[in-house]
């Protein structure tokens, strides 16, 4: 009997195929794709691709002059993986898979598991070796194991690298990953953010998609450098104590010819039925969450970013579009589930699996859902039929908040409870309050230009808005440019309008946000009890006629407490009286009327003593001169 050949460590074996078929090969990216190897005296690259419906597959590239017949791949069943070793195929050389379909058509596909890609508009993959990356962030990674997002500050700066800053002399002008790392660390440290969230990192063909139509899920985009440059950026950020979150897009993928769509001549990564497999509004394909190999692709990809590239968390895009079968579809354009409903039960199980594995293997990492509906238990435990996410974007709060802030102050009393409603459900999930890129594009205006009034009033409105956001329960996210009151809507084609910081009003806005962020990090009352009723207490949620809100944030054990008073009208209240929980001294720690924030600079006492005088249903109170659009934060 012929002895069975021993599988070499880099080759696809029976166990690999079995685990992939079961949907449990969490490190399949180490086997599929292109991997540089030394095999005895031979040096080259081992290629592997999943294409179960292909008739034949060849790997073509610079190493064989793109010859379709030079390196025909061998089929490995039962799951349909094609493999070959190409001697002499070297690092950085470009390649594609030529897939012959059962109809005899030839498709030229980029490698779904490639770790590096040709710069767009090119669409080839590149051979690279990410196993040799040196990691020097052990201190950060050790600390992450003990980090608990529920009781720690999270103030996230959402950034698009390609338009944060640009080199004016270059055609694209992109900062590379290393340049960006050095500059963003300075900015984040100065402003006081704890994390950055990066848009558009996975490889994508079209700049205008902002990275939300991905063709290279395992490749940091080559727009800003190599995978080694990307890793250098992560090392540098971690060394400087900045967390990194990536946008991650398991909802859909584009129809570009070199991408995942109809990968081997038939729908492989997407549902075969177009009513299940296509988003009519977006013109994209929907992943098939009923197929183990596809779920494995996505789960291993999430683990790839968090485990191999040390990313601290993933913000999962468009979760609602995955959960609902009829999302963005009319009658007849979708297929009900087996019980006749509109919930994608396969996607529900996928999320439970994904979050259990990612968070179970990586304590301290976070999975964040951008989920825009009232789907229950998005951040609930999987064991309690929850989806298992760490945090959920609070889209309801964002909508109510921005609609209120757009109103002329005269009409705000009619929408007073827009600003209080979110507290009625604040603890149903673990939330992040977000003012993201989605709120400052497509004619929605920048944050400053959402505000009513002219000139100074816009700035005063926005300062009050940011103070309310920072005081409200929930983690925080702010998109780049909004912290210095960028006037124009964001565009990926140009850098932020940094020149505005030559003007006093924009400097003052930036100083205000900076001081809020640093105060947020220094005072546990802001964040330590974000997810419990003990952390937040209304003093007066009903002062609709004056459009003033007052509330208290508590740290654990009542060791630290903060009182917020925020006015949303241009009327000064020279003797505003606020009820307080205790007969204590109240120290003013942030006052919007200071000159450095654009206020009058009028001197105020540093400490206010509560007296026995009923107000706001409390036996004690004190008076404070509250200016137009005034914000005052007191510590007690």
């Amino acid at each position: 009997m012929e002895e069975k050949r021993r599988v070499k460590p880099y080759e696809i074996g029976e166990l690999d195929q079995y685990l992939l078929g079961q949907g449990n090969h969490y490190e399949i990216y180490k086997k599929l794709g292109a991997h540089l190897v030394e095999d005895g005296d031979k040096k080259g690259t081992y290629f592997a691709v999943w294409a179960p419906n292909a008739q034949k597959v060849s790997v073509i590239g610079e190493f064989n002059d793109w010859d379709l017949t030079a390196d025909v791949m061998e089929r490995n069943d039962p799951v349909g993986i094609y493999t070959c070793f190409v001697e002499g195929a070297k690092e950085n050389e470009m390649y594609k898979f030529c897939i012959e379909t059962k109809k005899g058509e030839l498709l030229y596909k980029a490698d779904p598991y490639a770790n590096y890609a040709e710069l767009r508009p090119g669409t080839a993959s590149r051979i690279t070796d990410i196993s040799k990356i040196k990691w020097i962030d052990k201190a950060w990674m050790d600390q992450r194991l003990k980090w608990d997002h529920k009781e720690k500050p999270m103030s996230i700066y959402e950034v698009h690298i390609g338009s944060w800053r640009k080199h004016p002399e270059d055609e694209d002008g992109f900062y590379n990953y290393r340049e960006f790392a050095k500059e963003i660390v300075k900015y984040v440290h100065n402003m006081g953010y704890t994390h950055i969230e990066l848009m558009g990192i996975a490889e994508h063909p079209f700049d205008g998609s902002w990275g939300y139509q991905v063709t290279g899920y395992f490749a940091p985009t080559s727009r800003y450098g190599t995978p080694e440059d990307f890793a250098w950026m992560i090392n540098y950020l971690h060394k400087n104590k900045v967390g990194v979150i990536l946008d991650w897009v398991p909802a859909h993928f584009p129809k570009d010819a070199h991408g995942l769509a109809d990968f081997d001549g038939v729908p492989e990564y997407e549902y075969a039925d177009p009513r299940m497999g296509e988003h009519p509004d977006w013109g994209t394909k929907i992943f098939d969450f009923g197929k183990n190999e596809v779920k494995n692709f996505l789960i291993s990809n999430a683990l790839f970013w968090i485990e191999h590239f040390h990313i601290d968390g993933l913000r999962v895009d468009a979760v609602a579009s995955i959960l609902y079968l009829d999302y963005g579809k009319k009658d007849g354009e979708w297929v009900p589930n087996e019980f006749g409903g509109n919930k994608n039960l396969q996607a529900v199980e996928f999320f439970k699996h994904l979050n259990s594995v990612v968070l179970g293997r990586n304590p301290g990492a976070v999975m964040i859902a951008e989920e825009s509906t009232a789907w229950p238990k998005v951040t609930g435990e999987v064991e309690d039929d929850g989806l298992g996410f760490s945090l959920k974007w609070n889209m309801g709060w964002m909508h109510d908040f921005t609609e209120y802030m757009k109103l002329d102050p005269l009409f705000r009393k009619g929408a007073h409870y827009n600003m209080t409603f979110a507290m009625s459900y604040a603890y149903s999930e673990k939330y992040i309050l977000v003012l993201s890129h989605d709120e400052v594009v497509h004619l929605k205006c920048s944050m400053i230009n959402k505000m009513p009034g002219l000139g100074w009033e816009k700035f005063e409105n926005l300062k009050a808005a940011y103070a309310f956001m920072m005081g409200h329960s929930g983690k925080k996210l702010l998109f780049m440019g909004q912290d210095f009151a960028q006037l124009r809507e964001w565009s990926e084609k140009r850098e932020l309008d940094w020149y505005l910081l030559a003007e006093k009003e924009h400097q003052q806005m930036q100083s205000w946000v900076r001081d809020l962020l640093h105060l947020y990090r220094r005072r546990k009352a802001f964040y330590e009890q974000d997810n419990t009723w003990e952390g937040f207490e209304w003093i007066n949620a009903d002062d609709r006629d004056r459009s003033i809100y007052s509330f208290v944030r508590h740290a654990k054990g009542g060791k630290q407490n903060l009182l917020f008073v925020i006015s949303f009208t241009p009327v000064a209240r020279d003797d505003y009286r606020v009820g307080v929980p205790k007969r204590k001294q109240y120290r003013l720690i942030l006052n919007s009327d200071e000159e450095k924030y654009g206020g009058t600079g009028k001197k105020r006492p540093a400490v206010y003593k509560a007296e026995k005088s009923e107000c706001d249903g409390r036996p004690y109170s004190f008076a404070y001169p509250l200016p137009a659009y005034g914000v005052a934060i007191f510590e007690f």
Side-chain angles (χ1 to χ4, degrees), residues 291-536:
K291 197 175 287 182
N292 285 342
E293 295 88 348
V294 174
K295 289 184 288 187
N296 200 127
F297 172 81
L298 290 168
I299 292 171
S300 67
N301 183 242
L303 290 167
F304 166 80
W305 292 112
I306 287 174
E307 294 180 354
H308 191 87
F309 273 114
H310 295 197
I311 297 301
D312 301 300
L314 300 176
R315 174 265 193 187
V316 184
D317 183 59
V319 169
S321 76
I322 303 173
L323 291 172
Y324 293 98
L325 295 164
D326 59 348
Y327 185 91
K329 297 179 180 179
K330 300 171 187 164
D331 289 345
E333 292 181 344
W334 63 283
V335 181
N337 65 31
E338 58 192 281
F339 303 109
N342 67 340
K343 295 179 178 179
N344 188 334
L345 303 178
Q346 295 172 340
V348 171
E349 290 309 307
F350 163 73
F351 281 130
K352 291 178 179 180
H353 187 179
L354 168 76
N355 291 322
S356 297
V357 172
V358 171
L359 299 176
R361 286 169 56 128
N362 298 280
V366 291
M367 295 292 286
I368 303 168
E370 189 234 345
E371 204 285 314
S372 54
T373 74
W375 187 284
K377 299 183 182 179
V378 171
T379 58
E381 300 292 333
V382 169
E383 294 77 10
D384 190 31
D385 203 29
L387 296 184
F389 283 96
S390 314
L391 294 158
K392 172 179 170 171
W393 276 28
N394 195 334
M395 307 293 277
W397 171 86
M398 179 277 300
H399 179 267
D400 291 344
F401 172 82
T402 51
E403 288 305 304
Y404 178 87
M405 292 309 307
K406 290 175 192 175
L407 292 172
D408 185 292
L410 185 65
F411 302 113
R412 281 180 176 161
K413 61 185 176 184
H416 186 78
Y417 297 106
N418 271 30
M419 297 289 267
T420 64
F421 180 62
M423 283 310 302
S424 69
Y425 61 84
Y427 308 115
S428 62
E429 302 278 7
K430 299 176 186 72
Y431 282 115
I432 294 184
L433 307 185
V434 293
L435 295 172
S436 74
H437 69 275
D438 276 331
E439 310 324 313
V440 294
V441 291
H442 302 322
L443 304 180
K444 294 178 190 171
C445 297
S446 62
M447 286 307 300
I448 189 69
N449 279 323
K450 290 187 201 303
M451 302 298 115
L454 297 169
W456 73 275
E457 271 198 282
K458 284 185 176 292
F459 285 88
E460 294 304 309
N461 268 288
L462 190 54
K463 280 188 278 185
Y466 285 157
F468 187 90
M469 175 186 183
M470 294 301 292
H472 196 286
S473 292
K475 308 308 178 189
K476 323 295 175 192
L477 178 143
L478 190 62
F479 184 56
M480 63 181 196
Q482 308 317 303
D483 52 12
F484 63 81
Q486 163 109 6
L487 295 174
R488 293 190 289 179
E489 285 190 337
W490 171 63
S491 168
E492 82 284 350
K493 296 176 182 175
R494 58 174 185 260
E495 74 168 13
L496 296 181
D497 294 336
W498 295 105
Y499 61 83
L500 291 172
L501 283 169
E503 298 178 18
K504 187 169 63 175
E505 294 90 346
H506 296 275
Q507 292 171 18
Q508 290 163 345
M509 179 62 71
Q510 190 182 50
S511 294
W512 176 247
V513 175
R514 179 193 300 119
D515 288 357
L516 274 171
L517 287 166
H518 281 288
L519 190 63
Y520 170 80
R521 293 184 71 164
R522 289 198 305 267
R523 299 297 197 278
K524 291 183 178 180
F526 272 100
Y527 58 80
E528 198 174 47
Q529 298 199 94
D530 265 337
N531 304 303
T532 169
W533 285 104
E534 284 79 31
F536 185 98

